[in-house]
Amino acid sequence: MPSPPCNVFQHLPELSSNDDLNLDLELDLVPNSHNLCPYCDNILPDTLPEKIKDQLQNLQNKPITEEERWSFCIMHHGELNIVPHGLSKGYPEYIDFNVLPLHIIKFEKDLIEIINGNISSYYWDIASSIYKEVGYNKAKAPMMLMNRFEVFQPGYYGFNGLYTIVNTLIDLFVNSNNLTKDQTYPLDPMDFIYEVLVPEVTLRLIQEDRNNSITLEDAKEILNDSIEFGVYMHSNEIDD
């Protein structure tokens, strides 16, 4: 397929000041030409967050690629919807990923019990049933992985959290030969880390974030609800 053509967008709307930013999601927004996104026509507030305002100014009167257009619309959806929703539910705006391994290591005993089958795991049950039902190759097919992608996401920890959790678990279990194919069958050890141990660690991190005042089942609800927040907020601080 050829590369998408560049478009030039001119005469974009003047941007209001942002001195008294209010991200109230119940703002009475009247759809008119003065507060529509110039790229997707979604309604924007008259007073824009500084991040959106700066990016929109950067894009004025220059050739715009489809990727830049899409990125801007993702940004305004994130800043105006995903972020306020997540913050209202107490999801963390800032996470110190440097100290995260120290927290993960504290769950090693629980994780060993899960590996040995002494602690039941919702994620282990799902993964093992799928692999046994359709076989390893079909279970690893792209469409099958996409269908259950959210099941093993790290909630509001995002891809930065996924990177840190996976690497910590590799140090704990793979590099030390503490996780074998016999233990993880019908998954291989790396699949087991991604599909079982990552979400199990995330549940315990979320529980710890709430001062252990919630159950693992409550943490699972938070994990599922906060995936979009995590992808938007915590997925761009670690190099590929």
Side-chain angles (χ1 to χ4, degrees):
M1 294 290 290
S3 299
C6 293
N7 298 305
V8 177
F9 294 89
Q10 298 179 334
H11 311 300
L12 298 187
E14 290 293 323
L15 301 175
S16 307
S17 65
N18 196 42
D19 296 335
D20 298 309
L21 175 62
N22 182 356
L23 288 178
D24 187 353
L25 295 181
E26 296 181 359
L27 283 173
D28 184 17
L29 300 175
V30 179
N32 57 59
S33 60
H34 299 292
N35 58 4
L36 294 179
C37 171
Y39 309 129
C40 67
D41 290 336
N42 280 350
I43 299 171
L44 301 177
D46 290 326
T47 301
L48 295 174
E50 198 67 32
K51 185 175 180 180
I52 299 176
K53 184 173 73 172
D54 290 345
Q55 184 63 10
L56 189 54
Q57 288 175 332
N58 290 336
L59 296 175
Q60 292 192 57
N61 298 319
K62 58 171 283 189
I64 305 297
T65 66
E66 291 299 321
E67 182 179 357
E68 288 174 316
R69 179 210 301 255
W70 182 245
S71 295
F72 176 76
C73 295
I74 289 175
M75 177 190 292
H76 73 63
H77 174 66
E79 294 297 317
L80 298 175
N81 298 283
I82 296 172
V83 174
H85 171 80
L87 295 181
S88 72
K89 294 197 168 187
Y91 304 154
E93 185 174 6
Y94 303 103
I95 296 175
D96 187 349
F97 292 99
N98 292 319
V99 303
L100 200 58
L102 298 177
H103 295 268
I104 297 169
I105 290 170
K106 292 190 296 184
F107 308 135
E108 183 177 7
K109 182 179 178 181
D110 269 7
L111 299 178
I112 290 173
E113 292 294 289
I114 290 171
I115 293 168
N116 292 332
N118 298 325
I119 293 180
S120 63
S121 167
Y122 166 79
Y123 302 101
W124 183 209
D125 290 343
I126 287 180
S128 61
S129 64
I130 290 174
Y131 279 76
K132 288 175 181 177
E133 180 179 349
V134 303
Y136 182 84
N137 290 333
K138 287 186 178 180
K140 291 284 288 181
M143 287 304 298
M144 288 291 293
L145 287 172
M146 289 176 62
N147 287 338
R148 63 184 193 280
F149 183 67
E150 289 190 354
V151 174
F152 46 93
Q153 289 303 294
Y156 57 65
Y157 282 89
F159 290 121
N160 296 346
L162 179 63
Y163 177 91
T164 304
I165 294 168
V166 167
N167 279 280
T168 304
L169 292 173
I170 288 173
D171 286 339
L172 282 175
F173 296 110
V174 177
N175 293 342
S176 59
N177 295 316
N178 287 329
L179 194 63
T180 67
K181 289 185 177 181
D182 289 339
Q183 291 172 303
T184 64
Y185 180 82
L187 287 70
D188 66 30
M190 282 305 302
D191 293 327
F192 189 85
I193 283 177
Y194 273 102
E195 301 196 35
V196 180
L197 296 188
V198 165
E200 288 290 353
V201 164
T202 305
L203 294 184
R204 287 156 176 79
L205 288 172
I206 292 172
Q207 191 179 48
E208 185 179 73
D209 290 340
R210 299 300 174 97
N211 298 314
N212 295 309
S213 62
I214 62 173
T215 65
L216 289 175
E217 192 63 30
D218 295 332
K220 180 150 69 74
E221 292 183 11
I222 293 173
L223 184 158
N224 293 334
D225 181 72
S226 65
I227 290 172
E228 191 176 32
F229 182 87
V231 169
Y232 182 77
M233 290 293 290
H234 302 301
S235 298
N236 59 354
E237 297 165 16
I238 294 176
D239 294 336
D240 291 339

